[in-house]
Amino acid sequence: MAYDHRSIEHTWQQRWEDEGLYRSRVDWNRPKHYALTMLPYPSGDLHMGHWYAMTPSDARARFMRMRGHNVLFPIGFDAFGLPAENAAVQRGVHPAEWTWKNIDRMRTQLRSMGAMFDWEREAVSCDPSYYRWTEWLFKQMVEHGVAYRGEAMVNWSPTLQTVLANEQVIDGKDERTGQPVVQKMMEQWFFAITRYADELLDFDSIDWPDPIRLMQTNWIGRSEGARVDFSIAEGPAAGEPLTVFTTRPDTLWGATFMVVAPEHPLLAEITTDDRRDEVTAYVQAASRRTELERIADDRDKTGVFTGGYAVNPVNQEQIPIWVADYVLISYGTGAIMAVPAHDQRDFEFARRFGLTVAPVIHPEGGDPLDEPAMTESYVGPGVMINSGPIDGVTVNDLKGRENPSVAAAIDWLVEHGAGEESINYRIRDWLISRQRYWGSPIPMIHRADGTVESVPDDQLPVVLPEDVPFDGTSPLARTPSFTETVDSDGNRARRETDTLDTFMCSSWYWFRYLSPAYDGGAFDPEEAAYWLPVDTYTGGAEHAVMHLLYARFFVKAMRDMGLFDAAATGMTAHGRDSDGLFDEPFLLLRNQGQILGEDRTGDRVVVSGEEVGTRVLADRVVVDAGAADDAGVVVGELLRRTENILQVSTAAGRVTVEVPETAVVEIPSIPGPNDVNQLRHHLEIQRMSKSKGNVVNPDDLVVEYGADTVRTYLMFAFEWQKGGPWNSQGIMGSRRFIEDVWKIGTIEYQPEAVSGDASAQLRRRIHQTTARVESGLEAFKFNTSVAALMALRNDLTEAARTGAVDPQVWSEGVDTLLKLLAPIAPHVTEELWRRRGNDSSIHLVAWPVSDPEIAAEETITMVLQVNGKVRDRVDVPADITEADAEAEALASARIQEWTEGKIVRKIISRPPKLVNVVVS
RNA sequence: GCCCGGGUGGCGGAAUGGCAGACGCGGCGGAUUCAAAAUCCGCUGUCCGAAAGGGCGUGUGGGUUCGAAUCCCACCCCGGGCACCA
């Protein structure tokens, strides 16, 4: 009976659905396990990346279930976002229609995986029943002061006609489109994520990969130091403080000038009249430059003198104030004290503009700094000099108060009222307003008097109007039926027309999964009490600082707003200690790598034609001409093709070939008339993309090989956390494996010359395999689990051929193979399990237990070494004593050969693994 | 520039400081076949050797150790993150 994946997979997917096999229900008598995979964006097609992310997660969730956990493994869609709106602009399809159609299609594709998703818990973020609670959560944030409206310098994307969060801007460009972003002052809604900066730096209670923790730590960017008030010396602002943040207050006595950012509020008052034109020109030039241009420019510092001076509070010295764009308004106070002797940026600026450099640190174990000769700043350890009260204090390489000189300076500042100890963060508050249509509306109303009020809860959600213009910026703002409303006093008012950053939708979705239809709140506290928090979260590392940081912030804010109080009470009622369970969203996080396109060699082309200048004008191009090679003027591999221009790698080097329309193109492998566009060029390993033509479609693979084979291959062929290039031949290995399992599961076993040894050996392998598969699944090293199963397949195939094992052991072997493989290849194992006479699903049976005593080898091949080199091997009992092991080694003829005539210095005996005889 | 992660056969990858290369792909040889595909059996790091066996071998150089892919130091290369953060 042949293995037919099509009927098997279809049948079981249907039956599991009908029987509700994957419905998860609260059951306080069983331990729970909340396994979560990052929800997909409904782009239209499930690609290999989705399969690669989800099927191993599914396998692990199934494994946890077989181990006795009550597992929740939900799925949904992150359905708001720009691509839907672009589709509307470009193709005239309404975003809602486009999105829901994609979701429909992707649901079908997701079902073809055979994953244990509980579809009753599906949540879709663009559904009003979902975004009602996104809006409600926003309101909660407003009411608790976590969300606020503020004027700030924002990242404006002229291309997208919207603002972006800091996290969405990379190198001064929008991280999605790569288009430049400019700075602009705007009033927008923010979440006060900075308030949680310190708590977000604490990862002690969660098991997350180090790189992610590091990236978040760097992103938050905590710096310890001091705020110091300099005072403006003259002019309209005379006597006013000019505050700076510094991590090196110990170098205050070396401050020789100050620099303010071009946007600094006090700049105009500081600037003297004779300098005003120059300063104004500089500020204007700076504002015109995008972030991108500032980076693209050579790093030479620019700036101008304001004419103003400030008084250094530590020594009353007057120092000049400059304006320069290397000081950023968005960090610290937007003004710095410059200590050129001990800060490289300040040093470069000072040298360029001829400003004073005054060393205040005597380098450790070196000569005093020779100011005129210095070519770079000194940032190492030493001893303070020329610094009045802190002279002689040690300077080390540590940060903050751990550096004695910094501690001494802070103490002095505080004592003299000149400054205060301060911590500064790189992270900014999260800007959540977007001037887009396809997002959750912000449930706020602008009253005629300029104040803002929220839409009452019983009027939520504010529903997106359907009929809006999709031909430019902010469709909602241009839809009067939406914007015109009345406030709580019945006066005419205007609705907020910005929508929420879609990252907000994905910052709480795993709560909605618990009870997607619940209308008494964002989630049902009864469900939350049982299922929360998420035990295992899997997804791509590209979300390291956005989604994963926002999600952590959300949970902390929700906790502080009391949104988990009811759930905590429920936990306590069931005897579960809720302490600390609502501090973090995901207890364990693991990231999968990325599947890349396959390496591909280009067509071997034989071109005939004539040379015209530097290129060859073809009249005939033949692919794989074989013996007819000599006919060509150009023969080689096609490296690149741009329209009809070919780059061919030949023995003599690279040649450019132009293929006019009149030329004949012959590709034997493609029937019918061929044209130049069908030539395949060389492709390096890189991301899959339609334009490169290296996309592997999982749907096609499922049709050809079956979901079980695709799942097995994805788990076997890569180190999951690393990923790598696709290999179209490799999948056959997994297909053969599944077919072999089918054979093993369907043959009639014929015992012949049954031997006790062979039976015991197979039992040993069964129990060893169980342990190996288990540890692989636990540790996300799925490839080792599959490898172990393939090895068991080999043992069982051998057993079937020889007939040497006891029928009972054979049967145990087959059953164990099926159970261990069930999480990975759920369909074929279910089919075989039932055929073997079992009435209920294999996915409900208990995970096999590996008995260490049965798994233990009786005899082990012991390695005999001389001076650490393997010279012989002997089979010894597993419980051999150290003395016997040594005796075995010395009795070995081969060891004797190698030790003959030498003096045995010592013998390292590690029974039963090895004996190392050290001679000289 | 700074901070991470990683370099193991032709390829994907295994390996609590103890037999490097499990498992698979590919390749080679054989069986089967009219033939091919599929399937089955065997071999497959590299060099020397008829073989027995031996030399070399986990990016490079050094170190620790009886013993290093694994630990330490320096360097090279690849991937990722941040990037004038005071």
Side-chain angles (χ1 to χ4, degrees):
Chain A
M1 199 170 331
Y3 167 58
D4 174 12
H5 65 261
R6 285 188 188 84
S7 73
I8 291 171
E9 292 180 355
H10 182 261
T11 305
W12 284 111
Q13 282 166 16
Q14 196 61 50
R15 268 187 74 177
W16 292 331
E17 188 70 36
D18 295 345
E19 291 168 9
L21 185 66
Y22 301 129
R23 294 289 97 83
S24 0
R25 301 269 181 266
V26 170
D27 178 358
W28 283 97
N29 295 315
R30 290 165 65 204
K32 67 92 181 182
H33 182 83
Y34 189 168
L36 184 66
T37 182
M38 287 182 186
L39 86 175
Y41 176 79
S43 55
D45 259 309
L46 212 62
H47 52 73
M48 199 53 81
H50 292 120
W51 275 77
Y52 187 60
M54 291 175 182
T55 53
S57 305
D58 175 59
R60 201 166 180 283
R62 289 171 173 279
F63 162 66
M64 292 305 289
R65 174 161 146 160
M66 288 175 80
R67 283 221 296 195
H69 288 82
N70 186 18
V71 175
L72 172 61
F73 187 55
I75 190 74
F77 293 94
D78 182 18
F80 274 135
L82 217 45
E85 219 166 318
N86 290 341
V89 175
Q90 286 158 18
R91 279 177 278 159
V93 196
H94 193 276
E97 191 194 333
W98 184 86
T99 302
W100 284 105
K101 231 169 93 185
N102 288 347
I103 288 175
D104 244 18
R105 177 171 169 72
M106 288 174 79
R107 279 178 181 145
T108 310
Q109 291 172 313
L110 281 165
R111 281 169 207 269
S112 77
M113 277 181 186
M116 60 175 283
F117 295 127
D118 179 357
W119 286 97
E120 274 184 17
R121 305 214 184 227
E122 183 198 35
V124 179
S125 68
C126 71
D127 191 302
S129 72
Y130 184 102
Y131 71 73
R132 171 184 176 188
W133 298 105
T134 307
E135 292 179 16
W136 183 82
L137 284 165
F138 175 83
K139 272 189 67 180
Q140 289 290 308
M141 298 278 208
V142 172
E143 279 158 27
H144 288 84
V146 182
Y148 64 92
R149 196 162 168 76
E151 172 129 330
M153 193 63 80
V154 299
N155 305 301
W156 175 259
S157 164
T159 323
L160 301 177
Q161 289 286 306
T162 184
V163 299
L164 298 167
N166 270 17
E167 286 82 352
Q168 290 165 321
V169 181
I170 310 284
D171 278 349
K173 291 176 284 189
D174 164 35
E175 57 114 12
R176 288 198 61 251
T177 63
Q179 296 300 307
V181 168
V182 297
Q183 301 299 301
K184 198 171 163 180
M185 212 62 174
M186 278 179 85
E187 188 162 297
Q188 303 278 290
W189 288 99
F190 291 87
F191 281 150
I193 191 171
T194 50
R195 212 176 291 169
Y196 288 90
D198 274 323
E199 204 191 332
L200 289 167
L201 285 168
D202 177 10
F203 298 90
D204 284 352
S205 64
I206 50 179
D207 179 359
W208 283 29
D210 282 344
I212 304 284
R213 294 156 60 134
L214 259 152
M215 275 189 245
Q216 293 203 353
T217 301
N218 291 340
W219 186 263
I220 293 165
R222 179 189 156 105
S223 306
E224 294 173 18
R227 276 179 188 252
V228 184
D229 289 340
F230 282 65
S231 104
I232 293 169
E234 53 205 34
E240 275 191 46
L242 180 55
T243 309
V244 302
F245 171 78
T246 176
T247 54
R248 296 300 303 270
D250 51 336
T251 62
L252 260 166
W253 284 263
T256 53
F257 58 99
M258 297 186 78
V259 185
V260 298
E263 303 86 0
H264 197 280
L266 289 175
L267 177 58
E269 295 177 58
I270 294 166
T271 305
T272 55
D273 289 340
D274 60 318
R275 309 289 308 164
R276 194 165 304 279
D277 288 350
E278 205 180 330
V279 168
T280 308
Y282 182 78
V283 169
Q284 279 179 358
S287 73
R288 273 199 302 272
R289 300 208 298 167
T290 63
E291 194 85 9
L292 189 61
E293 288 165 335
R294 270 167 66 160
I295 291 159
D297 274 358
D298 55 283
R299 289 259 179 124
D300 280 349
K301 307 244 177 318
T302 60
V304 294
F305 178 44
T306 63
Y309 288 81
V311 178
N312 186 339
V314 300
N315 56 12
Q316 311 308 316
E317 267 181 35
Q318 287 208 0
I319 55 177
I321 305 172
W322 284 61
V323 56
D325 66 4
Y326 82 92
V327 173
L328 311 174
I329 189 65
S330 56
Y331 186 79
T333 62
I336 61 157
M337 64 164 191
V339 184
H342 306 295
D343 180 286
Q344 187 57 25
R345 295 155 304 184
D346 298 344
F347 182 85
E348 285 165 21
F349 193 80
R351 282 291 189 248
R352 186 174 166 119
F353 294 103
L355 296 160
T356 313
V357 176
V360 289
I361 299 171
H362 180 103
E364 188 172 270
D367 297 326
L369 293 167
D370 175 22
E371 190 279 305
M374 281 172 77
T375 56
E376 58 178 15
S377 60
Y378 179 78
V379 293
V383 170
M384 297 307 304
I385 52 166
N386 302 325
S387 295
I390 64 167
D391 266 356
V393 179
T394 307
V395 182
N396 65 21
D397 283 322
L398 300 176
K399 299 198 186 294
R401 276 197 173 269
E402 287 180 276
N403 190 340
S405 58
V406 171
I410 291 172
D411 290 342
W412 189 94
L413 286 169
V414 171
E415 197 179 314
H416 292 80
E420 57 181 12
E421 185 159 10
S422 174
I423 293 160
N424 198 61
Y425 300 91
R426 198 189 88 110
I427 192 173
R428 307 259 61 88
D429 275 346
W430 175 13
L431 191 158
I432 46 173
S433 303
R434 294 291 179 277
Q435 291 67 43
R436 311 303 319 178
Y437 167 76
W438 195 233
S440 178
I442 297 177
M444 303 300 286
I445 292 169
H446 297 271
R447 295 162 59 107
D449 64 7
T451 60
V452 181
E453 68 178 26
S454 56
V455 175
D457 283 355
D458 60 11
Q459 289 173 30
L460 296 184
V462 173
V463 179
L464 285 172
E466 284 197 15
D467 190 16
V468 299
F470 288 112
D471 51 358
T473 177
S474 201
L476 287 181
R478 293 180 296 130
T479 305
S481 62
F482 178 78
T483 58
E484 289 167 12
T485 185
V486 288
D487 62 24
S488 52
D489 297 326
N491 299 319
R492 290 186 60 171
R494 187 171 188 276
R495 254 185 222 289
E496 171 67 60
T497 56
D498 288 352
T499 52
L500 292 165
D501 182 358
T502 55
F503 273 107
M504 177 163 171
C505 307
S506 56
S507 292
W508 70 281
Y509 72 99
W510 62 97
F511 298 125
R512 194 62 191 167
Y513 279 162
L514 300 175
S515 48
Y518 186 67
D519 62 5
F523 54 87
D524 182 345
E526 294 285 320
E527 297 276 340
Y530 181 70
W531 293 111
L532 292 181
V534 170
D535 295 283
T536 306
Y537 194 31
T538 53
E542 67 272 19
H543 292 110
V545 285
M546 291 201 262
H547 167 56
L548 289 170
L549 192 61
Y550 295 153
R552 295 179 65 218
F553 155 68
F554 243 71
V555 167
K556 292 170 195 299
M558 286 172 73
R559 173 201 62 198
D560 291 347
M561 298 187 300
L563 300 185
F564 298 121
D565 290 356
T569 307
M571 279 186 183
T572 316
H574 284 94
R576 187 174 173 212
D577 185 1
S578 65
D579 198 35
L581 291 185
F582 299 111
D583 293 337
E584 289 285 347
F586 319 121
L587 298 182
L588 183 144
L589 170 75
R590 290 293 180 273
N591 302 113
Q592 81 277 359
Q594 202 174 39
I595 301 295
L596 304 169
E598 192 166 11
D599 189 50
R600 184 181 77 191
T601 50
D603 281 332
R604 196 165 163 286
V605 292
V606 176
V607 180
S608 50
E610 55 174 328
E611 277 184 59
V612 180
T614 56
R615 53 176 63 181
V616 171
L617 193 62
D619 53 42
R620 194 175 144 90
V621 179
V622 184
V623 172
D624 284 329
D629 274 8
D630 299 344
V633 291
V634 179
V635 179
E637 185 194 356
L638 182 54
L639 285 186
R640 300 193 70 86
R641 179 181 66 79
T642 316
E643 303 289 324
N644 65 330
I645 308 295
L646 314 181
Q647 298 288 332
V648 182
S649 167
T650 71
R654 198 184 278 209
V655 179
T656 304
V657 176
E658 187 178 335
V659 186
E661 285 200 31
T662 53
V664 178
V665 176
E666 281 179 39
I667 309 174
S669 60
I670 304 176
N674 303 122
D675 68 76
V676 68
N677 295 314
Q678 294 170 320
L679 293 169
R680 283 158 59 97
H681 63 87
H682 179 89
L683 198 63
E684 284 171 16
I685 293 165
Q686 45 189 313
R687 291 183 64 152
M688 288 187 187
S689 80
K690 281 181 187 158
S691 62
K692 290 174 200 135
N694 61 349
V695 174
V696 180
N697 181 356
D699 291 354
D700 297 345
L701 294 174
V702 169
V703 170
E704 190 175 354
Y705 301 103
D708 283 336
T709 294
V710 177
R711 290 170 61 107
T712 304
Y713 181 59
L714 287 171
M715 279 182 244
F716 174 66
F718 309 87
E719 200 184 325
W720 188 68
Q721 315 206 24
K722 188 174 151 204
W726 182 257
N727 177 336
S728 52
Q729 287 175 319
I731 194 168
M732 271 315 296
S734 298
R735 169 70 190 197
R736 281 182 211 128
F737 168 60
I738 297 292
E739 283 175 3
D740 289 346
V741 170
W742 180 260
K743 279 177 211 153
I744 289 165
T746 52
I747 56 165
E748 192 85 17
Y749 176 67
Q750 301 288 348
E752 254 175 83
V754 171
S755 102
D757 276 1
S759 302
Q761 179 60 23
L762 182 59
R763 277 204 90 198
R764 202 149 37 226
R765 298 306 298 266
I766 291 166
H767 284 258
Q768 289 172 347
T769 305
T770 302
R772 286 183 63 196
V773 173
E774 188 168 304
S775 69
L777 288 171
E778 260 171 18
F780 295 84
K781 299 176 101 178
F782 305 106
N783 52 346
T784 63
S785 294
V786 179
L789 287 166
M790 286 177 168
L792 182 60
R793 173 266 315 258
N794 293 343
D795 292 332
L796 287 168
T797 304
E798 176 72 12
R801 197 169 51 172
T802 59
V805 304
D806 185 278
Q808 269 197 314
V809 176
W810 163 262
S811 195
E812 185 190 344
V814 177
D815 282 347
T816 309
L817 174 68
L818 294 181
K819 289 182 203 170
L820 298 178
L821 181 60
I824 295 163
H827 311 88
V828 68
T829 49
E830 178 81 306
E831 174 70 21
L832 291 169
W833 181 251
R834 304 283 186 134
R835 282 179 183 234
R836 288 173 63 76
N838 297 289
D839 290 333
S840 67
S841 173
I842 192 171
H843 303 299
L844 296 174
V845 305
W847 186 254
V849 176
S850 172
D851 182 336
E853 283 193 24
I854 300 173
E857 297 283 352
E858 277 171 25
T859 59
I860 286 177
T861 303
M862 187 167 73
V863 174
L864 304 180
Q865 301 179 324
V866 176
N867 286 351
K869 285 202 179 272
V870 180
R871 297 304 180 188
D872 200 5
R873 299 179 175 88
V874 283
D875 286 341
V876 298
D879 57 357
I880 191 171
T881 63
E882 210 165 300
D884 288 350
E886 270 182 40
E888 279 281 352
L890 296 174
S892 154
R894 308 251 314 111
I895 295 301
Q896 285 170 7
E897 268 174 52
W898 283 92
T899 54
E900 204 184 330
K902 310 246 174 72
I903 300 157
V904 176
R905 295 286 173 200
K906 73 173 134 169
I907 299 175
I908 313 283
S909 187
R910 294 277 178 277
K913 278 183 164 174
L914 104 169
V915 175
N916 184 11
V917 182
V918 183
V919 298
S920 62

